[in-house]
């Protein structure tokens, strides 16, 4: 183990870690927005859109991210749509994560008991008030564990984006191994980087989950 | 152009399916082994021994925190250099997927066993069943209804994750697709076809898992 190598290459890993976080952040945001829109469409049963969303969810959940980004990055230019690597990465994560988020939100909304909605109606709440004060607070609390699992899942999936030359952690590790042959050192830095990113996140999300659980009623 | 794209798929279907065989071989082998090792791991996780509990917890979390891609990559580079044995990409993939599958399968088994109501176990004990009888006649038949749908979903995840083996040089269906693209430049059609191919493998399994889950829900 060459310790001086670890110190020397540390800045590159910090840089790469930031790329992982940045891509992960935008990807997760894209997934959240896609998920919310899909969930909205499914919940209010908007006629044709509902069918499209259902097809999208199945396509997204039953295909690997690697093929999705390869299609975006290598396939689309052939029909004249050229996207940058970063754009492909974020769209890919959004496409994959959107369906997982939609399922999580839908699960939360459906888990809100009928008695809750009937009670709300009986005290004269209108549709908007019902959403705002009765359904959403409970649905968010119920879907939070699934949503935070999706956060971690998507952040880990960024490692696949090394295949389309995004300079994130794995990609940088690959090029460093190619340059210096310090395999063990590079792999150690890589593993530790993921631990540093994901472990605190998973602890914070776990804490938020426990806090939100107070919002559950009637069980 | 559209015509030529579809023709490219038909003309190269043999080579693509050859790669698909390799993909499936890795996925099915790993899944098959994980099913048994995962069962053992699940039972181990139920242990009351604190050290066993801690170790199994760390093992599972290691796979939950570090991406499979990193595991795959590490094994492929680390093992040959450190132990001096030359392993092929296929073997590295099967080893990593089996280790991961064991962790996930174990969690499914543990979740299923723990979800059984206490009353079932207490009633069993009260009529004088031994631990083994309790497991064989009471716990296992009920838990299996929760294990099977979970195991099928794990199967779809395994198939999807197998796509990564191309990145450590295994000649799988994607690698074959890349070869065809190099010759024909039809990236749009080939990747479109691969997308569809993975969908056709995973979708029926997803449906089956969902149906069984609903059917056995009690």
């Amino acid at each position: 183990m060459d310790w001086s190598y670890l110190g020397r290459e540390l800045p590159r890993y910090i840089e790469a870690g930031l790329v992982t976080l940045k891509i992960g952040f935008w990807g997760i945001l894209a997934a959240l927005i896609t998920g919310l829109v899909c969930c909205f469409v499914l919940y209010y049963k908007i006629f044709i859109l509902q069918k499209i969303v259902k097809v999208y969810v199945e396509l997204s959940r039953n295909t690997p991210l690697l093929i999705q980004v390869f299609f975006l990055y290598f396939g689309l230019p052939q029909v004249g749509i050229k996207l940058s690597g970063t754009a492909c990465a974020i769209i890919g994560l959004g496409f994959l994560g959107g369906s997982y988020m939609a399922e999580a939100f839908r699960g939360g909304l459906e888990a809100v008991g009928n008695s809750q909605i009937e009670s709300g109606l009986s005290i004269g709440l209108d549709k908007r008030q019902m959403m705002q004060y009765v359904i959403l607070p409970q649905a968010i609390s119920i879907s939070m564990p699934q949503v935070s699992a999706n956060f971690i899942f998507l952040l880990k999936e960024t490692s696949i984006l090394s295949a389309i030359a995004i300079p994130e952690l794995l990609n940088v590790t690959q090029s460093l191994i190619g340059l210096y042959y310090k395999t063990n050192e590079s792999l150690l830095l890589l593993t530790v980087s993921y631990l540093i990113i994901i472990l605190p996140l998973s602890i914070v999300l776990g804490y938020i989950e426990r806090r939100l659980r107070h919002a559950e009623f009637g069980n | 152009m559209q015509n030529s794209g579809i023709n490219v798929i038909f003309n190269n279907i043999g080579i693509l399916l050859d790669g698909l065989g390799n993909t499936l071989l890795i996925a099915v082998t790993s899944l098959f082994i994980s099913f048994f090792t995962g069962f053992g791991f699940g039972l181990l996780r139920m242990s009351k021994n604190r050290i066993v509990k801690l170790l199994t917890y760390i093992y599972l979390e290691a796979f939950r925190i570090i991406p499979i891609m990193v595991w795959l990559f590490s094994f492929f580079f680390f093992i040959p250099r450190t132990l001096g044995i030359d392993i092929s990409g296929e073997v590295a993939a099967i080893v990593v997927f089996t280790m991961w599958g064991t962790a996930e399968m174990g969690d499914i088994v543990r979740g299923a066993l723990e979800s059984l109501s206490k009353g079932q176990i207490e009633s069993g004990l009260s009529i004088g069943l031994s631990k083994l009888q309790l497991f064989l006649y009471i716990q296992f038949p009920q838990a299996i209804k929760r294990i099977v749908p979970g195991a099928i979903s794990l199967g779809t995840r395994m198939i999807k994750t197998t796509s990564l083996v191309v990145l450590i040089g295994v000649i799988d269906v994607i690698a074959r697709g890349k070869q065809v693209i190099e010759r024909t430049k039809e990236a749009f059609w080939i990747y479109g076809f691969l997308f569809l191919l993975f969908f056709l493998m995973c979708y029926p399994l997803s449906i089956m898992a969902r149906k069984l889950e609903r059917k056995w829900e009690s």
Side-chain angles (χ1 to χ4, degrees):
Chain A
M1 189 64 75
D2 180 353
W3 297 102
S4 68
Y5 174 83
L6 296 186
R8 200 170 66 239
E9 296 303 336
L10 194 62
R12 296 194 59 171
Y13 274 85
I14 294 175
E15 210 177 302
L18 290 175
V19 171
T20 291
L21 280 173
K22 197 184 80 183
I23 298 275
F25 174 80
W26 290 110
I28 288 171
L29 193 68
L32 276 174
I33 295 169
T34 314
L36 275 178
V37 171
C38 291
C39 177
F40 181 81
V41 168
L42 289 177
Y43 191 72
Y44 288 104
K45 301 193 169 64
I46 301 170
F47 183 56
I48 293 182
L49 285 179
Q50 195 191 5
K51 285 199 171 137
I52 298 174
V53 167
K54 278 185 178 160
V55 172
Y56 154 68
V57 168
E58 295 300 342
L59 280 178
S60 146
R61 287 187 72 110
N62 289 302
T63 49
L65 178 65
L66 187 69
I67 304 271
Q68 296 168 3
V69 291
F70 273 177
F71 184 76
L72 291 170
Y73 193 68
F74 298 113
L76 285 185
Q78 202 196 330
V79 289
I81 305 168
K82 282 200 175 70
L83 297 165
S84 71
T86 313
C88 288
I90 293 169
I91 295 173
L93 284 175
F95 179 83
L96 175 78
S99 63
Y100 283 83
M101 293 295 183
E103 295 278 280
F105 295 143
R106 202 177 51 108
L109 282 177
E110 283 178 358
V112 175
N114 259 335
S115 63
Q116 292 284 327
I117 294 168
E118 283 157 11
S119 316
L121 284 175
S122 72
I123 57 167
L125 296 183
D126 66 29
K127 265 200 166 171
R128 190 191 57 82
Q129 287 172 318
M130 177 91 90
M131 220 10 155
Q132 189 179 346
Y133 299 116
V134 179
I135 299 176
L136 274 186
Q138 296 184 64
I140 290 172
S141 147
I142 297 166
S143 55
M144 189 61 202
Q146 200 53 51
V147 172
S148 64
N150 291 344
F151 277 19
I152 307 252
F153 163 66
L154 288 174
L155 206 51
K156 282 163 67 188
E157 290 286 286
T158 56
S159 59
I160 292 169
L161 303 170
S162 60
I164 55 164
I166 302 288
E168 48 69 74
L169 286 165
L170 185 63
N171 187 271
V172 165
T173 307
Q174 273 171 313
S175 28
L176 284 179
I177 290 178
L179 273 176
Y180 305 117
Y181 288 105
K182 300 271 186 202
T183 315
N184 296 352
E185 290 83 352
S186 307
L187 290 175
L188 178 71
L189 279 170
L190 174 68
T191 311
V192 171
S193 304
Y194 273 107
L195 282 178
I196 290 175
I197 291 178
I198 294 180
L199 208 53
L201 183 72
S202 110
I203 291 169
V204 169
L205 288 171
Y207 176 74
I208 296 175
E209 250 169 58
R210 277 195 300 279
R211 287 304 298 269
L212 278 177
R213 211 168 288 159
H214 294 303
E216 277 177 43
F217 311 99
N219 298 320
Chain B
M1 184 193 137
Q2 283 208 343
N3 243 332
S4 76
I6 293 171
N7 278 336
V8 162
I9 293 167
F10 279 118
N11 293 340
N12 294 289
I13 196 81
I15 198 172
L16 288 170
L17 288 183
D18 174 57
L20 185 68
N22 224 348
T23 298
L24 283 176
L25 179 76
I26 292 172
V28 171
T29 310
S30 315
L31 201 63
F32 184 75
I33 303 172
S34 315
F35 198 80
F36 297 101
T37 49
F39 229 96
F41 183 68
L43 294 178
L44 216 56
R45 282 205 71 201
M46 306 275 289
S47 159
K48 296 211 166 54
N49 186 320
R50 287 180 101 180
I51 297 169
V52 173
K53 256 188 169 169
L54 183 73
L55 288 179
T56 51
Y57 175 76
I58 291 175
Y59 180 79
L60 176 67
E61 285 302 306
F63 284 95
R64 296 256 160 108
I65 287 171
I66 297 164
I68 297 301
M69 191 56 229
V70 173
W71 278 105
L72 210 52
F73 196 71
S74 299
F75 257 75
F76 190 57
F77 285 100
F78 180 79
I79 297 265
R81 277 186 72 96
T82 317
L83 302 180
I85 11 175
D86 208 16
I87 54 169
S88 67
E90 280 93 339
V91 173
I94 290 175
V95 170
V96 168
F97 289 160
T98 304
M99 283 168 58
W100 167 58
T102 302
E104 294 287 351
M105 187 65 204
D107 205 44
I108 294 169
V109 171
R110 182 197 56 84
L113 286 175
E114 282 184 352
S115 73
L116 300 182
S117 73
K118 270 229 166 86
Q120 293 286 330
I121 295 164
E122 283 162 5
S123 322
L125 287 175
S126 74
I127 57 167
L129 295 182
S130 71
K131 279 231 156 152
L132 182 69
Q133 287 173 320
L134 188 72
F135 181 76
L136 283 181
Y137 301 121
I138 310 279
Q139 290 177 290
F140 184 74
Q142 294 184 60
I144 199 74
K145 290 186 173 180
R146 290 182 192 235
I147 292 172
V148 169
I152 297 173
S153 315
L154 182 63
T156 67
R157 284 168 67 197
M158 194 74 90
I159 292 173
K160 283 190 287 176
T161 313
T162 312
S163 64
L164 301 182
V165 297
V166 63
L167 303 177
I168 57 165
V170 175
I171 306 297
D172 73 334
V173 67
I174 304 175
R176 289 295 191 198
K178 281 186 160 178
Q179 291 171 354
V180 175
I181 290 169
E182 263 165 42
R183 266 190 291 113
T184 61
K185 309 286 173 227
E186 294 285 356
F188 181 82
W189 288 98
I190 294 295
Y191 283 126
F193 175 69
L194 290 179
F195 185 87
L196 197 70
L197 202 59
F198 271 90
F199 179 76
L200 290 177
M201 286 191 286
C202 295
Y203 183 62
L205 288 175
S206 297
I207 295 273
M208 205 191 340
R210 215 178 304 162
K211 279 208 169 136
L212 287 179
E213 206 171 335
R214 224 169 278 163
K215 190 177 154 197
W216 285 336
E217 218 170 20
S218 49

